[in-house]
Coordinates of all heavy atoms in Angstrom, one line a residue:
M1 N 147.6 99.0 159.3 CA 147.9 100.4 159.2 C 147.7 101.1 160.5 O 146.8 100.7 161.3 CB 147.0 101.0 158.2 CG 147.2 100.5 156.8 SD 146.2 101.3 155.6 CE 146.4 100.0 154.3
G2 N 148.5 102.0 160.8 CA 148.5 102.7 162.1 C 147.2 103.5 162.3 O 146.6 104.0 161.4
L3 N 146.8 103.6 163.6 CA 145.6 104.3 163.9 C 145.8 105.8 163.6 O 144.8 106.4 163.1 CB 145.3 104.2 165.5 CG 144.1 104.8 166.0 CD1 142.9 104.3 165.2 CD2 143.9 104.6 167.4
E4 N 147.0 106.3 163.7 CA 147.2 107.7 163.4 C 146.9 107.9 161.9 O 146.2 108.9 161.5 CB 148.6 108.1 163.7 CG 149.0 109.5 163.3 CD 150.5 109.8 163.5 OE1 151.1 109.3 164.4 OE2 151.0 110.6 162.7
F5 N 147.3 107.0 161.1 CA 147.1 107.1 159.6 C 145.6 107.1 159.4 O 145.0 107.9 158.6 CB 147.8 106.0 158.9 CG 147.3 105.9 157.5 CD1 147.6 106.8 156.5 CD2 146.5 104.8 157.1 CE1 147.1 106.7 155.2 CE2 146.0 104.7 155.8 CZ 146.3 105.6 154.9
Q6 N 144.9 106.1 160.0 CA 143.4 106.0 159.8 C 142.7 107.3 160.2 O 141.8 107.7 159.5 CB 142.9 104.8 160.6 CG 143.3 103.5 160.0 CD 142.7 102.3 160.8 OE1 142.2 102.5 161.9 NE2 142.8 101.1 160.2
E7 N 143.1 107.8 161.3 CA 142.5 109.1 161.8 C 142.7 110.2 160.8 O 141.8 111.0 160.5 CB 143.0 109.4 163.2 CG 142.5 108.5 164.3 CD 143.2 108.7 165.6 OE1 144.2 109.5 165.7 OE2 142.7 108.1 166.6
R8 N 143.9 110.4 160.3 CA 144.2 111.4 159.4 C 143.4 111.2 158.1 O 142.8 112.2 157.6 CB 145.7 111.4 159.0 CG 146.6 112.2 159.9 CD 148.0 112.4 159.2 NE 148.4 111.4 158.3 CZ 149.3 110.4 158.7 NH1 149.7 110.3 159.9 NH2 149.6 109.5 157.7
A9 N 143.4 110.0 157.6 CA 142.6 109.7 156.4 C 141.1 110.0 156.6 O 140.5 110.5 155.7 CB 142.8 108.3 156.0
C10 N 140.6 109.6 157.8 CA 139.2 109.9 158.0 C 138.9 111.3 158.1 O 137.9 111.8 157.6 CB 138.8 109.2 159.4 SG 138.6 107.5 159.3
L11 N 139.8 112.1 158.6 CA 139.6 113.6 158.6 C 139.6 114.1 157.2 O 138.7 115.0 156.9 CB 140.7 114.3 159.5 CG 140.6 114.1 161.0 CD1 141.8 114.7 161.6 CD2 139.3 114.7 161.5
E12 N 140.5 113.6 156.4 CA 140.5 114.1 155.0 C 139.3 113.7 154.3 O 138.7 114.5 153.5 CB 141.7 113.5 154.3 CG 143.1 114.0 154.7 CD 144.2 113.3 154.1 OE1 144.1 112.6 153.1 OE2 145.3 113.3 154.7
I13 N 138.8 112.5 154.4 CA 137.6 112.0 153.8 C 136.4 112.7 154.3 O 135.5 113.2 153.5 CB 137.5 110.5 154.0 CG1 138.6 109.7 153.2 CG2 136.1 110.0 153.5 CD1 138.7 108.3 153.6
A14 N 136.3 112.9 155.6 CA 135.1 113.5 156.2 C 135.0 115.0 155.7 O 133.9 115.5 155.6 CB 135.2 113.5 157.7
S15 N 136.1 115.6 155.4 CA 136.1 117.0 155.0 C 135.8 117.2 153.5 O 135.6 118.3 153.1 CB 137.4 117.7 155.4 OG 138.5 117.2 154.7
H16 N 135.9 116.1 152.8 CA 135.7 116.2 151.3 C 134.2 116.4 151.1 O 133.3 115.8 151.7 CB 136.1 114.9 150.6 CG 136.2 115.1 149.2 ND1 135.1 115.0 148.3 CD2 137.3 115.4 148.4 CE1 135.5 115.2 147.1 NE2 136.8 115.4 147.1
P17 N 133.8 117.4 150.2 CA 132.4 117.7 150.0 C 131.5 116.6 149.5 O 130.3 116.6 149.7 CB 132.4 118.8 149.0 CG 133.8 118.8 148.4 CD 134.7 118.1 149.3
F18 N 132.1 115.6 148.9 CA 131.2 114.5 148.3 C 131.0 113.3 149.3 O 130.2 112.5 149.0 CB 131.9 114.0 147.0 CG 131.9 115.0 146.0 CD1 133.2 115.4 145.5 CD2 130.8 115.5 145.4 CE1 133.2 116.4 144.5 CE2 130.9 116.5 144.4 CZ 132.1 116.9 144.0
T19 N 131.7 113.3 150.4 CA 131.5 112.2 151.3 C 130.5 112.4 152.4 O 130.1 111.5 153.1 CB 132.9 111.9 152.0 OG1 133.2 113.0 152.8 CG2 133.9 111.5 151.1
K20 N 130.0 113.7 152.5 CA 129.0 114.0 153.5 C 129.4 113.6 154.9 O 128.6 113.1 155.8 CB 127.7 113.4 153.2 CG 127.1 113.8 151.9 CD 125.8 113.1 151.5 CE 125.4 113.6 150.1 NZ 124.4 112.8 149.5
G21 N 130.7 113.7 155.2 CA 131.2 113.4 156.6 C 131.5 112.0 156.9 O 131.9 111.7 158.0
D22 N 131.2 111.1 156.0 CA 131.5 109.6 156.3 C 132.9 109.3 156.1 O 133.6 109.8 155.3 CB 130.7 108.7 155.3 CG 129.2 108.9 155.4 OD1 128.8 109.2 156.6 OD2 128.5 108.6 154.5
C23 N 133.4 108.4 157.0 CA 134.8 108.0 156.9 C 134.8 106.6 156.2 O 134.2 105.7 156.7 CB 135.4 107.8 158.3 SG 137.1 107.2 158.2
A24 N 135.4 106.6 155.0 CA 135.4 105.3 154.2 C 136.7 104.6 154.3 O 137.0 103.7 153.6 CB 135.1 105.7 152.8
M25 N 137.6 105.0 155.3 CA 138.9 104.3 155.5 C 138.7 102.8 155.8 O 137.9 102.5 156.7 CB 139.6 105.0 156.6 CG 141.0 104.4 156.9 SD 142.1 104.6 155.5 CE 143.2 103.3 155.8
P26 N 139.3 101.9 155.1 CA 139.2 100.5 155.3 C 139.8 100.2 156.7 O 140.9 100.7 157.0 CB 140.0 99.9 154.2 CG 140.9 100.9 153.7 CD 140.2 102.2 153.9
N27 N 139.2 99.3 157.4 CA 139.8 98.8 158.6 C 140.6 97.5 158.4 O 140.6 97.0 157.3 CB 138.7 98.7 159.7 CG 137.7 97.6 159.4 OD1 138.1 96.6 158.8 ND2 136.5 97.9 159.7
K28 N 141.3 97.1 159.5 CA 142.1 95.9 159.4 C 141.4 94.7 158.9 O 141.9 93.8 158.1 CB 142.8 95.6 160.7 CG 143.9 96.6 161.0 CD 144.6 96.3 162.3 CE 145.5 97.3 162.7 NZ 146.2 97.1 164.0
L29 N 140.1 94.5 159.4 CA 139.3 93.3 158.9 C 139.0 93.4 157.5 O 139.0 92.3 156.8 CB 138.0 93.3 159.7 CG 138.1 92.8 161.2 CD1 136.8 92.8 161.9 CD2 138.7 91.3 161.2
E30 N 138.7 94.5 156.9 CA 138.5 94.7 155.5 C 139.7 94.3 154.7 O 139.7 93.7 153.7 CB 138.0 96.1 155.2 CG 136.6 96.3 155.7 CD 136.2 97.8 155.5 OE1 136.9 98.7 155.9 OE2 135.2 98.0 154.8
I31 N 140.9 94.9 155.2 CA 142.1 94.6 154.5 C 142.4 93.1 154.5 O 142.7 92.5 153.5 CB 143.3 95.4 155.1 CG1 143.0 96.9 154.8 CG2 144.6 95.0 154.5 CD1 143.9 97.8 155.5
K32 N 142.3 92.5 155.7 CA 142.6 91.1 155.8 C 141.6 90.3 154.9 O 142.1 89.3 154.3 CB 142.4 90.7 157.3 CG 142.7 89.2 157.6 CD 142.5 88.9 159.0 CE 142.7 87.4 159.3 NZ 142.4 87.1 160.6
G33 N 140.4 90.6 154.9 CA 139.4 89.9 154.1 C 139.6 90.0 152.6 O 139.2 89.1 151.9
H34 N 140.3 91.0 152.2 CA 140.6 91.2 150.7 C 142.0 91.0 150.4 O 142.5 91.4 149.3 CB 140.1 92.5 150.3 CG 138.6 92.7 150.4 ND1 137.7 92.1 149.5 CD2 137.8 93.4 151.3 CE1 136.5 92.4 149.8 NE2 136.5 93.2 150.9
W35 N 142.8 90.5 151.4 CA 144.3 90.5 151.2 C 144.8 89.8 150.0 O 145.7 90.2 149.3 CB 145.0 90.1 152.5 CG 146.5 90.2 152.3 CD1 147.4 89.3 152.2 CD2 147.2 91.5 152.1 NE1 148.7 89.8 152.0 CE2 148.5 91.2 151.9 CE3 146.8 92.8 152.0 CZ2 149.5 92.2 151.7 CZ3 147.7 93.8 151.8 CH2 149.0 93.5 151.6
N36 N 144.2 88.6 149.7 CA 144.6 87.9 148.5 C 144.5 88.7 147.2 O 145.4 88.7 146.4 CB 143.9 86.5 148.4 CG 144.5 85.5 149.4 OD1 145.6 85.6 149.9 ND2 143.6 84.5 149.8
Q37 N 143.4 89.4 147.1 CA 143.1 90.2 146.0 C 144.1 91.3 145.9 O 144.7 91.6 144.9 CB 141.7 90.7 146.1 CG 141.3 91.7 145.0 CD 139.9 92.3 145.1 OE1 139.2 92.0 146.1 NE2 139.6 93.2 144.3
V38 N 144.3 92.0 147.0 CA 145.3 93.1 147.1 C 146.7 92.7 146.8 O 147.4 93.3 146.1 CB 145.2 93.8 148.5 CG1 146.3 94.8 148.7 CG2 143.8 94.5 148.7
K39 N 147.0 91.5 147.4 CA 148.4 91.0 147.2 C 148.6 90.7 145.7 O 149.7 91.1 145.2 CB 148.5 89.6 148.0 CG 149.9 89.0 147.9 CD 150.0 87.9 148.9 CE 149.3 86.6 148.5 NZ 149.7 85.4 149.3
G40 N 147.7 90.1 145.0 CA 147.9 89.9 143.6 C 148.1 91.1 142.8 O 148.9 91.2 141.9
K41 N 147.3 92.2 143.1 CA 147.4 93.4 142.4 C 148.7 94.1 142.7 O 149.3 94.7 141.8 CB 146.2 94.3 142.7 CG 144.9 93.8 142.1 CD 143.8 94.7 142.4 CE 142.5 94.1 141.7 NZ 141.4 94.9 141.8
L42 N 149.2 94.0 144.0 CA 150.5 94.6 144.3 C 151.6 93.9 143.6 O 152.5 94.5 143.1 CB 150.8 94.5 145.8 CG 150.0 95.5 146.7 CD1 150.1 95.1 148.2 CD2 150.5 96.9 146.5
K43 N 151.5 92.6 143.4 CA 152.5 91.8 142.7 C 152.5 92.2 141.2 O 153.6 92.2 140.6 CB 152.3 90.3 142.9 CG 152.8 89.8 144.3 CD 152.5 88.4 144.5 CE 153.5 87.5 143.8 NZ 153.3 86.1 144.1
E44 N 151.3 92.4 140.7 CA 151.3 92.8 139.3 C 151.9 94.2 139.1 O 152.7 94.4 138.1 CB 149.8 93.0 138.8 CG 149.1 91.7 138.5 CD 147.7 91.9 138.1 OE1 147.3 93.0 137.7 OE2 146.9 90.9 138.3
K45 N 151.7 95.1 140.0 CA 152.2 96.5 139.8 C 153.7 96.5 140.2 O 154.4 97.3 139.5 CB 151.4 97.4 140.7 CG 151.8 98.9 140.6 CD 150.8 99.8 141.0 CE 151.3 101.2 140.7 NZ 150.3 102.2 140.8
F46 N 154.1 95.8 141.2 CA 155.5 95.8 141.7 C 156.0 94.4 141.6 O 156.0 93.6 142.5 CB 155.6 96.3 143.1 CG 155.0 97.7 143.3 CD1 153.8 97.8 144.0 CD2 155.6 98.8 142.8 CE1 153.2 99.0 144.2 CE2 155.0 100.1 143.0 CZ 153.8 100.2 143.7
G47 N 156.6 94.1 140.4 CA 157.0 92.7 140.1 C 158.1 92.2 141.1 O 158.3 91.0 141.2
E48 N 158.8 93.2 141.7 CA 159.9 92.8 142.7 C 159.4 92.2 144.0 O 160.1 91.6 144.8 CB 160.8 93.9 142.9 CG 160.2 95.1 143.6 CD 159.6 96.2 142.7 OE1 159.3 95.8 141.5 OE2 159.4 97.3 143.1
L49 N 158.1 92.3 144.3 CA 157.5 91.8 145.5 C 157.4 90.3 145.4 O 156.9 89.8 144.4 CB 156.2 92.5 145.8 CG 156.2 93.9 146.2 CD1 154.8 94.5 146.2 CD2 157.0 94.2 147.5
T50 N 157.7 89.6 146.5 CA 157.6 88.2 146.6 C 156.5 87.8 147.5 O 155.9 88.7 148.3 CB 158.9 87.5 147.1 OG1 159.1 87.9 148.5 CG2 160.1 87.9 146.3
D51 N 156.1 86.5 147.6 CA 155.1 86.1 148.5 C 155.5 86.3 149.9 O 154.7 86.7 150.8 CB 154.8 84.6 148.3 CG 153.9 84.3 147.0 OD1 153.2 85.2 146.6 OD2 154.0 83.2 146.5
N52 N 156.8 86.1 150.2 CA 157.3 86.4 151.6 C 157.2 87.9 151.9 O 156.8 88.2 153.1 CB 158.8 86.0 151.7 CG 158.9 84.5 151.9 OD1 157.9 83.8 152.2 ND2 160.1 84.0 151.7
D53 N 157.4 88.8 151.0 CA 157.3 90.2 151.2 C 155.8 90.6 151.6 O 155.6 91.5 152.4 CB 157.6 91.0 150.0 CG 159.1 91.0 149.6 OD1 159.9 90.8 150.5 OD2 159.4 91.1 148.4
L54 N 154.9 89.8 151.0 CA 153.5 90.2 151.1 C 152.7 89.3 152.1 O 151.5 89.3 152.1 CB 152.8 90.1 149.7 CG 153.3 91.1 148.7 CD1 152.8 90.8 147.4 CD2 153.0 92.5 149.2
M55 N 153.5 88.5 152.9 CA 152.8 87.7 153.9 C 152.1 88.5 155.0 O 152.7 89.4 155.6 CB 153.8 86.7 154.6 CG 153.2 85.7 155.4 SD 154.3 84.6 156.3 CE 155.8 84.6 155.4
Y56 N 150.8 88.3 155.1 CA 150.0 89.1 156.1 C 149.9 88.3 157.4 O 149.5 87.2 157.4 CB 148.6 89.3 155.5 CG 147.7 90.1 156.5 CD1 147.6 91.5 156.3 CD2 147.0 89.5 157.5 CE1 146.8 92.3 157.1 CE2 146.2 90.3 158.3 CZ 146.1 91.7 158.2 OH 145.4 92.4 159.0
V57 N 150.4 88.9 158.4 CA 150.3 88.3 159.8 C 149.6 89.3 160.6 O 150.0 90.4 160.8 CB 151.7 88.0 160.3 CG1 151.6 87.4 161.7 CG2 152.5 87.0 159.4
E58 N 148.5 88.8 161.2 CA 147.7 89.7 162.0 C 148.5 90.3 163.2 O 149.2 89.6 163.8 CB 146.4 89.0 162.6 CG 145.4 89.9 163.1 CD 144.0 89.2 163.3 OE1 143.8 88.1 162.7 OE2 143.2 89.9 163.9
G59 N 148.4 91.6 163.3 CA 149.2 92.3 164.4 C 150.5 92.7 163.9 O 151.3 93.4 164.7
K60 N 150.9 92.4 162.7 CA 152.3 92.7 162.2 C 152.1 93.6 160.9 O 153.0 93.5 160.0 CB 153.1 91.4 161.9 CG 153.2 90.5 163.0 CD 154.5 90.7 163.7 CE 154.7 89.6 164.8 NZ 156.0 89.7 165.4
E61 N 151.1 94.4 160.9 CA 150.9 95.2 159.7 C 152.0 96.2 159.4 O 152.3 96.5 158.3 CB 149.5 96.0 159.8 CG 148.3 95.1 159.8 CD 147.9 94.4 161.1 OE1 148.6 94.7 162.2 OE2 147.0 93.7 161.1
E62 N 152.6 96.7 160.5 CA 153.7 97.7 160.4 C 154.9 97.0 159.7 O 155.5 97.6 158.8 CB 154.1 98.2 161.7 CG 153.0 99.0 162.5 CD 152.6 100.2 161.7 OE1 153.4 100.9 161.1 OE2 151.3 100.4 161.7
E63 N 155.2 95.8 160.0 CA 156.3 95.0 159.4 C 156.0 94.8 157.9 O 156.8 94.9 157.0 CB 156.5 93.7 160.0 CG 157.2 93.8 161.4 CD 157.3 92.5 162.1 OE1 157.5 91.4 161.3 OE2 157.4 92.4 163.3
L64 N 154.7 94.5 157.6 CA 154.3 94.3 156.2 C 154.5 95.5 155.4 O 155.1 95.5 154.3 CB 152.8 93.9 156.2 CG 152.2 93.8 154.8 CD1 152.8 92.7 153.9 CD2 150.7 93.6 154.9
L65 N 154.1 96.7 155.9 CA 154.3 98.0 155.2 C 155.8 98.2 155.0 O 156.2 98.7 153.9 CB 153.6 99.1 156.0 CG 152.1 99.1 156.0 CD1 151.6 100.2 156.9 CD2 151.6 99.3 154.6
G66 N 156.5 98.0 156.0 CA 158.0 98.2 155.9 C 158.6 97.3 154.8 O 159.5 97.8 154.1
R67 N 158.2 96.1 154.7 CA 158.8 95.2 153.7 C 158.4 95.7 152.3 O 159.3 95.7 151.4 CB 158.2 93.7 153.9 CG 158.8 93.0 155.1 CD 158.5 91.5 155.0 NE 157.1 91.2 154.9 CZ 156.2 91.0 155.9 NH1 156.7 91.0 157.2 NH2 155.0 90.7 155.7
I68 N 157.2 96.1 152.2 CA 156.8 96.6 150.8 C 157.5 97.9 150.5 O 158.0 98.1 149.4 CB 155.2 96.8 150.8 CG1 154.5 95.5 151.0 CG2 154.8 97.5 149.5 CD1 153.0 95.6 151.2
Q69 N 157.6 98.8 151.5 CA 158.4 100.0 151.3 C 159.8 99.7 150.9 O 160.3 100.3 149.9 CB 158.5 100.8 152.6 CG 157.3 101.7 152.9 CD 157.6 102.5 154.2 OE1 157.2 102.0 155.3 NE2 158.2 103.6 154.1
Q70 N 160.5 98.8 151.6 CA 161.9 98.5 151.3 C 162.0 98.0 149.9 O 163.0 98.4 149.2 CB 162.4 97.5 152.3 CG 163.8 97.3 152.3 CD 164.3 96.3 153.4 OE1 163.5 95.5 153.9 NE2 165.5 96.5 153.8
R71 N 161.2 97.1 149.5 CA 161.3 96.5 148.1 C 160.9 97.4 147.0 O 161.5 97.3 145.9 CB 160.4 95.3 148.1 CG 160.9 94.1 148.8 CD 162.1 93.5 148.2 NE 161.9 92.1 148.1 CZ 162.7 91.3 147.4 NH1 163.7 91.8 146.8 NH2 162.5 90.1 147.3
T72 N 160.0 98.3 147.2 CA 159.5 99.2 146.1 C 160.2 100.6 146.1 O 160.1 101.2 145.1 CB 158.0 99.4 146.2 OG1 157.7 100.0 147.4 CG2 157.3 98.0 146.1
G73 N 160.7 101.0 147.3 CA 161.3 102.3 147.3 C 160.2 103.4 147.5 O 160.5 104.6 147.4
K74 N 159.0 103.0 147.8 CA 157.9 103.9 147.9 C 157.9 104.4 149.4 O 158.3 103.7 150.3 CB 156.6 103.3 147.6 CG 156.4 102.8 146.2 CD 156.3 103.9 145.2 CE 156.2 103.4 143.8 NZ 156.3 104.5 142.8
T75 N 157.2 105.6 149.6 CA 157.0 106.0 151.0 C 155.9 105.2 151.6 O 155.1 104.6 150.9 CB 156.6 107.5 151.0 OG1 155.3 107.7 150.4 CG2 157.6 108.4 150.3
R76 N 155.8 105.3 152.9 CA 154.8 104.6 153.7 C 153.4 105.1 153.1 O 152.5 104.2 152.9 CB 154.9 104.9 155.2 CG 153.8 104.3 156.0 CD 153.9 104.7 157.4 NE 152.8 104.2 158.2 CZ 152.8 103.1 158.8 NH1 153.9 102.3 158.8 NH2 151.7 102.7 159.4
R77 N 153.2 106.3 152.9 CA 151.9 106.9 152.5 C 151.6 106.3 151.1 O 150.5 106.0 150.8 CB 151.9 108.4 152.5 CG 150.7 109.0 152.0 CD 149.5 108.7 152.9 NE 148.2 109.1 152.3 CZ 147.2 108.3 152.1 NH1 147.3 107.0 152.5 NH2 146.1 108.7 151.6
E78 N 152.6 106.3 150.2 CA 152.4 105.7 148.9 C 152.0 104.3 148.9 O 151.0 103.8 148.2 CB 153.6 105.9 148.0 CG 154.0 107.3 147.6 CD 155.3 107.4 147.0 OE1 156.3 106.8 147.4 OE2 155.4 108.3 146.0
V79 N 152.6 103.5 149.8 CA 152.2 102.1 150.0 C 150.8 101.9 150.5 O 150.0 101.2 150.0 CB 153.2 101.3 150.9 CG1 152.7 99.9 151.2 CG2 154.6 101.3 150.3
E80 N 150.5 102.7 151.5 CA 149.1 102.7 152.1 C 148.1 103.1 151.0 O 147.0 102.4 150.9 CB 149.0 103.6 153.3 CG 149.8 103.1 154.5 CD 149.9 104.2 155.6 OE1 149.8 105.4 155.3 OE2 150.1 103.8 156.7
K81 N 148.4 104.0 150.2 CA 147.5 104.5 149.2 C 147.3 103.4 148.1 O 146.1 103.2 147.7 CB 148.1 105.8 148.5 CG 147.1 106.5 147.7 CD 146.1 107.3 148.5 CE 145.3 108.2 147.7 NZ 144.1 108.5 148.3
E82 N 148.3 102.7 147.7 CA 148.2 101.6 146.8 C 147.3 100.5 147.3 O 146.4 100.0 146.6 CB 149.6 101.0 146.5 CG 150.5 101.9 145.6 CD 150.0 102.1 144.2 OE1 149.2 101.4 143.7 OE2 150.5 103.1 143.7
I83 N 147.5 100.2 148.6 CA 146.6 99.2 149.2 C 145.2 99.6 149.2 O 144.3 98.9 148.9 CB 147.1 98.8 150.6 CG1 148.5 98.1 150.5 CG2 146.1 98.0 151.4 CD1 149.2 97.9 151.8
E84 N 144.9 100.9 149.6 CA 143.6 101.4 149.6 C 142.9 101.3 148.2 O 141.8 101.0 148.1 CB 143.6 102.9 150.1 CG 143.9 103.1 151.5 CD 144.1 104.5 151.8 OE1 143.6 105.4 151.1 OE2 144.8 104.8 152.8
N85 N 143.7 101.7 147.2 CA 143.2 101.7 145.9 C 142.8 100.3 145.4 O 141.9 100.2 144.5 CB 144.2 102.3 144.9 CG 144.4 103.8 145.1 OD1 143.6 104.5 145.6 ND2 145.6 104.3 144.7
F86 N 143.4 99.3 145.9 CA 143.1 97.9 145.5 C 141.9 97.3 146.2 O 141.4 96.2 145.9 CB 144.3 97.0 145.6 CG 145.4 97.4 144.6 CD1 146.7 97.3 145.0 CD2 145.2 97.8 143.3 CE1 147.8 97.7 144.2 CE2 146.2 98.1 142.5 CZ 147.5 98.1 142.9
L87 N 141.4 98.0 147.3 CA 140.3 97.4 148.0 C 139.0 97.8 147.4 O 138.9 98.9 146.7 CB 140.3 98.0 149.5 CG 141.4 97.5 150.4 CD1 141.5 98.3 151.6 CD2 141.3 96.0 150.7
P88 N 138.0 97.0 147.5 CA 136.7 97.3 146.9 C 136.1 98.6 147.6 O 136.4 98.9 148.7 CB 135.8 96.1 147.2 CG 136.7 95.1 147.7 CD 138.0 95.7 148.1
V89 N 135.4 99.3 146.8 CA 134.8 100.6 147.3 C 133.7 100.2 148.4 O 132.9 99.3 148.1 CB 134.2 101.4 146.2 CG1 133.5 102.6 146.7 CG2 135.3 101.8 145.2
R90 N 133.8 100.9 149.5 CA 132.7 100.7 150.5 C 131.5 101.5 150.2 O 131.6 102.6 149.7 CB 133.3 101.2 151.9 CG 134.4 100.3 152.4 CD 135.0 101.0 153.6 NE 134.2 100.8 154.8 CZ 134.5 101.3 155.9 NH1 135.7 101.9 156.1 NH2 133.8 101.1 157.0
K91 N 130.3 100.9 150.4 CA 129.1 101.5 150.1 C 128.3 101.7 151.4 O 128.2 100.8 152.2 CB 128.2 100.7 149.2 CG 128.9 100.6 147.8 CD 128.0 99.8 146.9 CE 128.5 100.0 145.5 NZ 129.3 99.0 144.9
Y92 N 127.8 102.9 151.6 CA 127.1 103.2 152.9 C 125.7 103.5 152.5 O 125.3 104.0 151.5 CB 127.7 104.4 153.6 CG 129.0 104.0 154.2 CD1 130.2 104.3 153.6 CD2 129.1 103.4 155.4 CE1 131.4 103.9 154.1 CE2 130.3 103.0 156.0 CZ 131.4 103.3 155.3 OH 132.6 103.0 155.9

C-alpha cells in the first residue's frame, strides 16, 4: 500500500476520539505476515479472484492492488479497506 494512503489513514485514525492519537494502520510486514489469511478471506468474499491474482510479491504491492481492483471492479480504497478489515486488530 502506498505511503500516501498510509499517511492519510493514520491522520484519520489519529483524529478519531477513541484512538487517542495512535496510528493503527497495518504496515507491509504485518500484511505480508498475515497474507495467507487475508488471501483466503478475499477469495471467499470475491470468488472471481484466483491464486495468481492474489500472488504477493514484496515490492509489487501496487500491482497486487491493481489486479484485485481489475477483477472485482472495486476502487483502490475499497480494496485497501477490505484488506485492512481482514487483518487482526493491533493492540497497543
Side-chain angles (χ1 to χ4, degrees):
M1 296 186 195
L3 185 58
E4 178 185 325
F5 166 72
Q6 288 181 348
E7 290 170 350
R8 273 195 330 262
C10 284
L11 288 174
E12 290 173 19
I13 291 167
S15 65
H16 195 278
F18 297 114
T19 62
K20 299 178 183 165
D22 293 334
C23 177
M25 178 65 204
N27 63 38
K28 288 180 185 179
L29 284 176
E30 289 174 303
I31 293 170
K32 182 180 176 187
H34 295 285
W35 186 245
N36 285 336
Q37 176 184 357
V38 172
K39 181 170 79 169
K41 290 182 179 183
L42 285 169
K43 284 175 77 174
E44 282 178 22
K45 183 161 185 165
F46 304 106
E48 64 271 19
L49 291 172
T50 66
D51 286 333
N52 282 345
D53 294 329
L54 297 171
M55 189 180 340
Y56 182 93
V57 177
E58 196 163 347
K60 304 262 184 177
E61 291 84 4
E62 298 298 319
E63 288 179 27
L64 171 64
L65 289 173
R67 287 192 306 267
I68 297 171
Q69 274 183 269
Q70 187 175 27
R71 286 291 230 169
T72 62
K74 301 287 183 189
T75 66
R76 178 185 174 93
R77 180 65 190 124
E78 289 171 322
V79 170
E80 290 171 335
K81 194 77 169 153
E82 290 294 340
I83 290 171
E84 290 169 24
N85 289 337
F86 294 140
L87 289 171
V89 176
R90 291 169 77 178
K91 294 184 169 101
Y92 291 95

